[in-house]
Amino acid sequence: MEHIITPKVEYVKLLNRYPEKKSVLGTLYLTATHLIYVEQTNNTRKETWVLHHHIMSVEKLPLTASGCPLLIRCKTFQLLHLLFQRERDCQDVYQSLLRLFQPVKEEELYAFLYNPHQNEEDRRQGWEFINVANDFSRMGLSNDYWEISHLNKNYEICSTYPSILGLPKNVSVATVTGSAKFRSRGRLPVLSYFHKDTKAAICRCSQPLSGLTSRCVEDEQMLQAISQANSNCPFIYVVDTRPKLNAMANRAAGKGYENEDNYSNIRFQFQGIENIHVMRNSLQKLLEVCSMKSPSMSDYLTGLENSGWLRHIKSVMDAGVFLAKAVCEERASVLVHCSDGWDRTAQVCSLSCILLDPYYRTIKGLMVLIEKEWISFGHKFSHRCGHLDTDPKEVSPVFTQFLECVWQLSEQFPCVFEFNERYLIEIHNQVYACQYGNFIGNCQKERLEMRLHEKTFSLWPHLLKNQHLYRNPLYRRSLECTVLRPSTLPLHFKFWCGMYNYYDRGMHPKQSVLDQLLSLTQKQVEGERTMTELQRVRGVVGVVDFVRVERYLTDMTLSPSHPFTAAGCCRWKRASQTLRFQITLLELNPPSSKSRGIHFLPNGISITLS
Amino acid sequence: MELSEHIKTANVEDVTLRRPFHPALRGTLCVTSHHLLFSDRKDEASWQLLILLKNIDAIEKRAVGSSGTITIKCKDLLVLQLEIPGMEECLNIASSIEALSSLESVTEMYPFFYRPSHLTLNGPWGLSSTEQYYKQTERLWDRWRVSTVNSDYSVCPSYPSAVIVPREVDDDKLIHSARFRQGGRFPVLSYCHHRNGMVIMRSSQPLTGANKKRCKEDELLLQAVIDGSELGYIIDLRSAQQAQQARMTGGGFESKSFYSHWKRIHRHHERGKVVQESLIKLVEACSDPSHSVDRWLSKLENSKWLSHVHSALSTAGLVVECVERDGHSVLVHGSEGTDNTLLVSSLAQLILDPASRTVTGFLCLLEREWIQAGHPFQQRCAHSAYSHARLKQECPIFLLLLDCVWQVWRQFPLALEFSEALLLRLAQEVYASNYGTFLCNSEQERCAAGVKENTHCLFQSLLRPDIEEQYLNPLYEPTDLAIWPSVHPQSLQLWTGLFLRWTEYAQNMEEAREEVWSIVKEHHEQAGPDRTNNTLSTHCDTLTSFENLMDELTIL
């Protein structure tokens, strides 16, 4: 709070993109967490809330006759152009924001203040909701080829890797540690995804410290072990996602790429995805195109081309498609790396997982995938998102690009994702918001040291609670067993207006097919879901699924914090075209007068508390 | 020469057919007077492909050893390959296709031979007429009348026999005005806005010439459109400079001093050859196998197709702004008044008028504003994107209209009663059809050729209940408001439904469409009688959101 020089400024104009539309006067508030602009005209009050962490830059523009302009650019691609009457106010707000939007210490991040009205038990459950080890079991680990290893449980082999690793069965400790020493930052080859049907695996690592001539027997053994874990194919692909030139340059610095002569049966391949600096500049150019005042079609298309953004998106997609093809068509295992193996490698591995496995195309599956390939494998969210006032050269839209690739896929395959575009945008906003603890810190070890699980809450339960907003009504489960084979012809890569021009609502379709279909299917889905759940409750008298009941109560805007047990009778019946449910809940504590009685949920379900 | 004389080889066995995303097939190829028929009789279940020869835009022959390959490029953008054993057969087939696909005589064309058992020739032809439109539009009765001055097509050969004009202007004045307008296309009423009675007129350019001729009758005619006190807008679809230049060749524009109650706005629109070349470039870009995004974007930009879409929608928006928001009548014209003029006036109606957003309403709009209004379909659609023939009068202005309508549909997916499928069907029919609807260049020509008596009407056939459902938009919710599309470049997209029609992508989209249908059907079954309430409430939401967004539009 001490950073807020002035908490409230009146008579501030919010300038709009379109000069001919009248801007009205409003009041600007600065709180510890948000910048709030309130516009009051006649009887309508319009509030614009911007989280400080969402701010990317604040810029004071030259004084004009009409006042002092302040330009605020956000990481969510929102653009606020404010006009102050007094220079002094502008300066005060500018000074305050500079300090607020990029805190120096982690503890100043929003997540450490935020409490979504949950108790410690909820918090614990929330953090356990997504568990990477469970995903290994889902893939069928441990089995004859792969096992779960705890060698890194103290983060001693690799400080930026998770504590549990998937490794080829029977690989020796010496091989593991030796290989780790030969890899940049100790990021040795480990399992990312095991494809049950073909026995092929996707593995990830960082670049080898091969320099011009070095080799490492243990690393060679490691790759040999990965190859032997898949009897369906005599070779493995080693995919270096960097452009060849970059990889060559690294050799001079004692790093580089695998020499095919030293490893038996590898097929080496470059993919040509550019580095974080190129991507950062490309986004910068793209955003310039997005904010052009009234471009002609040619200006826009030329700008889009010159930004190179879609070229980069395609290069990520191409690499992902290469991996998926190798696994499902050639039944070959693949080892992927870039330089450090936490940016391009994360993009490519997670994208190929989505192509190969329908599970990752579900609402929960995407959470698991992000938790696995990004959070636990040490994608440096704090640095890449610029949560704190750190080196701006570390900032890069690597994760944004991954989300965009998923969106591009959903445009080609409208029926295969359980979630819709809003889900991707919400995740993107949350990554930068630092409201929940998931995306704070750069690796698991760091997060543990920050005690995030004790001090902050997890995002995933929050998203799950609102999943009705994120559902794709066209999702067809019947298609789920298919491997996606997207076309990577350039004309399939579209500009994502819904993301980069999200706040320019005038550009978007004025009617939404998505909302229309969601409203048509909402009742039905709620009905089906509740029916199956209630049947289960009836079967096991006295025990009720805690989380689900809680969800209803939250929907009812009842306080969800007290513990309920449901017992006794649950009845459901179909009456006059709509499903009606009755659950009689017994509360451990006597129900308050507020919660007693019949509650009607907006979706047509009623709950009786007695 | 009889048509059959063009056919030297009618039948070839053992032909291999290759289509994109399908396995190759072997079968028999037949050439008839109007069709290319391929049938695969490998199994009991035979599969046939029937292509109208008129649909074929270009063919390429290539010899491979003793056999030949013919690549067939259709006007609906499908590309096929036929491998024909025997060089002579191959050349014969190719020459038959070449001759028969470019017939010039209307009465030799297939619609004159198409006689399906379920249709009779005595049925009604067409959906609407000038008289009907007048009868339906009560607002017109007071100040407007139907004139039959053109009943023998002598005043304006490209106009229909009846047109709507101001009541106080007599036929004699119309004749004078017609002489002052290119091709005799004097200003006539195209649309009367149901909310405020303002009208959209259209015409061709005035023939003022270099020495600034004037025509009193033409001035009176336009004066009669608006009350003395009012102001009207002339939307000239050429740049101010082009309009000036047109005077050198006898054309021109309405000068401020003679038409004092009309304010002229110029908006540059490309026409003719330029637009045709855009289509050719765009289709070429879409089939470019190169994997460079930069190359694709630069080709897309270079084709200028989306720029044409952008200008058409912007100018239509401008017309709507004049009529709906500012309450002024509008006269639209370019030079000839048969292409961009019709494009802009019909798009403006789609945006303004809820009646033109139903299936019937939309087809009526096309009939009044394109077919009866004398868009020269035969000349404009003689060739499509693949033809190597030297361009004459080709111009895909109608395709551009369909693209613009698709853009509107994409932005207002609930506001149109028809679906993308109808637009795709029309895009196909306009180039090659079993029906007579798009034949000839004007009503006069159709009358002379006996089109109504000897062919079937496409629009009638599309409205048959068993056919119509596939063209309906399952999410349709009528709204009374103007549907202003955004014309930001970010809001306009490549019409993938048309340009990627024959790719795998189209199949994925088809699945999605089916899914939408099944959700809507399921919902209707469940909701039963409550349904109307439900739609009403969402409809209200839509309306408020329109109003909020309306003022973000910037066109003027």
Side-chain angles (χ1 to χ4, degrees), chain A residues 321-461:
Chain A
V321 169
F322 177 86
L323 258 59
K325 267 193 183 155
V327 167
C328 75
E329 283 169 20
E330 297 184 67
R331 307 170 143 246
S333 292
V334 188
L335 175 66
V336 189
H337 69 75
C338 43
S339 300
D340 291 314
W342 52 41
D343 293 312
R344 290 167 270 202
T345 302
Q347 288 179 326
V348 171
C349 287
S350 49
L351 197 58
S352 58
C353 283
I354 284 184
L355 295 172
L356 287 168
D357 192 334
Y359 175 67
Y360 299 121
R361 297 173 215 149
T362 63
I363 289 178
K364 188 174 176 189
L366 188 69
M367 296 174 183
V368 172
L369 187 67
I370 293 171
E371 194 71 46
K372 176 167 77 96
E373 293 300 316
W374 293 83
I375 298 174
S376 82
F377 267 117
H379 173 69
K380 304 199 290 175
F381 277 106
S382 269
H383 286 164
R384 294 294 177 258
C385 303
H387 289 334
L388 300 172
D389 189 9
T390 47
D391 184 3
K393 288 213 160 55
E394 283 282 317
V395 175
S396 187
V398 176
F399 186 72
T400 309
Q401 288 183 318
F402 162 67
L403 291 178
E404 175 164 344
C405 286
V406 178
W407 176 80
Q408 298 281 1
L409 286 174
S410 74
E411 284 289 291
Q412 272 196 53
F413 302 99
C415 304
V416 304
F417 289 93
E418 191 190 16
F419 47 82
N420 61 42
E421 179 188 35
R422 280 204 286 254
Y423 186 55
L424 299 173
I425 293 173
E426 176 63 16
I427 291 177
H428 183 261
N429 288 345
Q430 289 293 353
V431 165
Y432 288 95
C434 298
Q435 186 174 358
Y436 294 89
N438 306 57
F439 303 102
I440 295 174
N442 293 313
C443 63
Q444 213 176 65
K445 187 176 174 223
E446 225 179 277
R447 286 189 196 95
L448 219 60
E449 285 162 0
M450 277 189 258
R451 311 217 323 266
L452 283 172
H453 286 210
E454 296 154 45
K455 293 181 175 170
T456 71
F457 290 84
S458 167
L459 168 68
W460 308 126

Side-chain angles (χ1 to χ4, degrees), chain A residues 562-581:
Chain A
H562 27 172
F564 287 97
T565 26
C569 78
C570 301
R571 291 181 290 131
W572 54 272
K573 59 182 177 183
R574 185 187 274 266
S576 65
Q577 311 287 345
T578 45
L579 289 168
R580 287 230 176 86
F581 301 94

Side-chain angles (χ1 to χ4, degrees), chain A residues 20 298 311 476 510 524, chain B residues 294 301 411 515 522 554:
Chain A
E20 49 296 310
S298 291
R311 184 177 71 225
R476 291 216 293 213
K510 309 295 183 293
Q524 196 187 327
Chain B
D294 293 2
E301 191 276 315
Q411 295 190 28
E515 199 57 35
E522 209 166 310
T554 48

Side-chain angles (χ1 to χ4, degrees), chain B residues 154-272:
Chain B
S154 61
V155 177
C156 171
S158 60
Y159 268 171
S161 54
V163 290
I164 302 173
V165 293
R167 190 171 280 285
E168 61 185 85
V169 178
D170 59 35
D171 283 356
D172 203 40
K173 288 203 182 81
L174 295 179
I175 295 171
H176 279 94
S177 170
R179 286 191 199 133
F180 185 63
R181 295 274 172 177
Q182 185 175 355
R185 294 176 72 91
F186 56 91
V188 296
L189 180 124
S190 141
Y191 170 69
C192 175
H193 191 35
H194 62 288
R195 283 170 180 253
N196 57 14
M198 292 302 131
V199 300
I200 300 176
M201 308 281 295
R202 52 175 163 73
S203 69
S204 61
Q205 64 175 341
L207 302 173
T208 51
N211 40 17
K212 296 192 180 172
K213 263 191 301 191
R214 60 188 286 192
C215 170
K216 265 270 179 298
E217 291 79 3
D218 191 74
E219 290 161 25
L220 285 172
L221 169 54
L222 286 185
Q223 187 62 44
V225 170
I226 49 175
D227 280 337
S229 56
E230 279 179 277
L231 178 73
Y233 280 92
I234 296 174
I235 313 283
D236 194 320
L237 304 176
R238 302 164 296 178
S239 66
Q241 198 193 358
Q242 281 175 318
Q244 280 287 354
Q245 278 167 358
R247 286 176 45 211
M248 298 306 128
T249 49
F253 52 89
E254 295 82 356
S255 75
K256 188 77 205 152
S257 38
F258 304 146
Y259 299 84
S260 55
H261 289 280
W262 290 85
K263 189 173 173 344
R264 207 174 60 244
I265 302 174
H266 289 274
R267 282 285 184 275
H268 174 66
H269 285 252
E270 294 294 352
R271 45 198 285 265

Side-chain angles (χ1 to χ4, degrees), chain B residues 22-72:
Chain B
H22 289 279
L25 290 170
R26 281 170 86 82
T28 312
L29 184 74
C30 302
V31 186
T32 72
S33 307
H34 294 104
H35 290 99
L36 198 63
L37 173 70
F38 177 89
S39 55
D40 154 46
R41 289 202 212 98
K42 199 171 58 195
D43 303 315
E44 284 302 302
S46 77
W47 179 88
Q48 292 192 327
L49 177 73
L50 187 67
I51 293 178
L52 264 179
L53 288 170
K54 184 143 191 280
N55 187 12
I56 296 174
D57 204 25
I59 61 168
E60 285 153 22
K61 312 167 274 228
R62 207 159 45 88
V64 185
S66 64
S67 66
T69 306
I70 302 181
T71 305
I72 294 183

